[in-house]
Amino acid sequence: MTDKPIHLPERLALLADLNAAQYLTEGLLTGKEDVPAIGLNKISEPLPGEEARGALLPVRDLVDDAMHEFRDGRPTAADAWLAPRLHATLRLSRREAADRRLWNYLALGVAPDYVVWRHMPESGKDGEAPKVAATRFRGAPYTQAFARLWWAAELFRNGADYGPVVTVCSHQDMLNTALRLDVIDHRPTAQAMARLIDRGTVGTGREINALARAVNASAATLMYDVLAPDTGRDGRPSQEWIAAAEWAPAVPRRALPEGPDEEQTPESSVTALVDHFTKLFADAPVRGREAIDDGN
C-alpha cells in the first residue's frame, strides 16, 4: 500500500485530468508505488486566494483520522464517518465542487494512500493482483473517492443536519446507485429515500437498487416537485457558511458537524413521497423477494 505523502504543500491545488492520467500507473493502482509528490505539485495549479478553507492539513488530518478510526474494520464503514466531515471541512459551493481538478488533486496529491486503503478490492480478476479502479482517483462525481462523499453529503443533508448523510453512506448501494440519478437533486426525494432506509422499509442492496429503479422510472411520468414541493433555494446560508470557514474550528470527530443553516426540507413533502415510494417499492421486482414470499 502507498504511504502517506511526504512532500505536502500548505494549500490544496487543482490537477487537470490530462496531468492526473500520467500518475495512474499500475504500481499506484496495485498499491506498490507512491505518487511522485514533487513532480505532481509542479504541474498542479494553486488554488486562487488565501482562504482558510484552502488549507491542505485539515483535510489530510481528517483522512488520517478516518483510516485510524476504521483500521480494524471494513474500510467501507469509513464513508459514513468521512462524508459529512469532508463536506464541512472543505466548505465548497456546488460550482467549485463540480471542478474535477480539485478531486484529482485530493486523490493524487493529498491522500493516494486513503484511496488505495478504501477502494482496494479483496481479490483481482482472472488471477491478477487486486488493484484500485482508476476512476477512484480520476472519475465521475459518483465514483471518484472524494467527490462521491462530498456530493452525497451535499445532496442528502437536510439543511444543517447531516444525519441522513450517515444513513445513506452506510449503504454502499445508495452511494453507487442513487448518486447517479438526476432526480436525487430534488431534496424531498433524497430525504424520502433516506427515511425509508431509516424505517427499515428497505435495507438490503437488492431492495435499495429496486427502490432507486422504481423512483427513477416513476419520475418520468410524475413530477415530484409538484407532488412534493420544496422551499425556494436561498443561497445566502451557504455563502455565509463558506465565509465562516475563516474562523471555524476543526470539525468534531465524535459528534456530527453542522452544515449550512438552510431551511430544512418541508416535512409534508417528505411524508408525501415516503408514502408514494412505499407503494412503488411494494410493487417493485426485488430479486429473491418472490421466493421468500412464496414460502410464507
Side-chain angles (χ1 to χ4, degrees):
M1 180 179 293
T2 57
D3 295 324
K4 175 179 176 178
I6 298 175
H7 304 284
L8 289 175
E10 294 184 359
R11 295 185 58 76
L12 299 172
L14 306 173
L15 180 64
D17 275 349
L18 187 62
N19 290 332
Q22 65 181 288
Y23 292 98
L24 299 178
T25 64
E26 188 76 6
L28 172 66
L29 300 180
T30 55
K32 297 177 181 178
E33 295 178 1
D34 298 330
V35 175
I38 295 178
L40 182 142
N41 281 302
K42 285 182 179 179
I43 61 172
S44 297
E45 179 184 345
L47 279 181
E50 296 294 332
E51 295 174 285
R53 63 196 179 107
L56 186 149
L57 187 57
V59 179
R60 181 66 226 190
D61 286 346
L62 194 62
V63 169
D64 285 336
D65 289 346
M67 290 191 288
H68 178 78
E69 183 75 16
F70 298 94
R71 64 191 184 280
D72 296 327
R74 294 179 61 84
T76 53
D79 288 350
W81 186 91
L82 184 56
R85 292 170 175 85
L86 180 70
H87 186 273
T89 296
L90 290 174
R91 300 205 181 201
L92 303 171
S93 68
R94 288 193 177 191
R95 182 176 181 178
E96 290 169 329
D99 189 342
R100 287 168 52 125
R101 296 177 300 167
L102 174 63
W103 306 117
N104 291 342
Y105 186 78
L106 282 178
L108 288 164
V110 178
D113 54 328
Y114 170 84
V115 181
V116 172
W117 172 82
R118 168 60 185 85
H119 291 288
M120 180 68 73
E122 294 182 358
S123 59
K125 296 180 179 179
D126 301 325
E128 296 181 351
K131 63 180 180 180
V132 180
T135 53
R136 298 301 187 181
F137 287 94
R138 187 196 68 155
Y142 47 80
T143 57
Q144 205 272 351
F146 294 109
R148 68 198 285 268
L149 298 181
W150 190 94
W151 281 105
E154 174 67 11
L155 294 171
F156 285 97
R157 64 181 174 84
N158 192 6
D161 180 15
Y162 285 115
V165 178
V166 175
T167 296
V168 167
C169 292
S170 297
H171 295 78
Q172 289 302 302
D173 288 278
M174 278 294 286
L175 277 173
N176 295 335
T177 302
L179 283 183
R180 299 171 184 261
L181 306 179
D182 290 339
V183 72
I184 213 65
D185 192 43
H186 180 238
R187 293 199 310 161
T189 295
Q191 293 305 310
M193 293 184 72
R195 188 79 56 87
L196 288 177
I197 295 175
D198 267 337
R199 290 184 175 182
T201 304
V202 296
T204 68
R206 291 177 179 178
E207 291 173 343
I208 289 171
N209 288 328
L211 173 65
R213 288 193 297 268
V215 167
N216 197 47
S218 177
T221 57
L222 181 65
M223 297 181 67
Y224 290 157
D225 55 350
V226 175
L227 174 64
D230 196 359
T231 57
R233 303 299 289 270
D234 181 358
R236 286 177 297 177
S238 181
Q239 293 169 2
E240 293 170 354
W241 182 71
I242 290 173
E246 292 302 310
W247 58 84
V251 297
R253 269 37 178 182
R254 296 303 174 190
L256 281 177
E258 292 186 358
D261 190 22
E262 297 174 344
E263 186 174 351
Q264 291 199 336
T265 312
E267 183 60 28
S268 59
S269 293
V270 177
T271 299
L273 286 184
V274 165
D275 293 342
H276 179 64
F277 292 167
T278 299
K279 295 173 183 177
L280 288 179
F281 177 68
D283 295 329
V286 180
R287 189 158 54 94
R289 183 163 66 179
E290 295 80 5
I292 295 174
D293 290 344
D294 290 343
N296 289 337

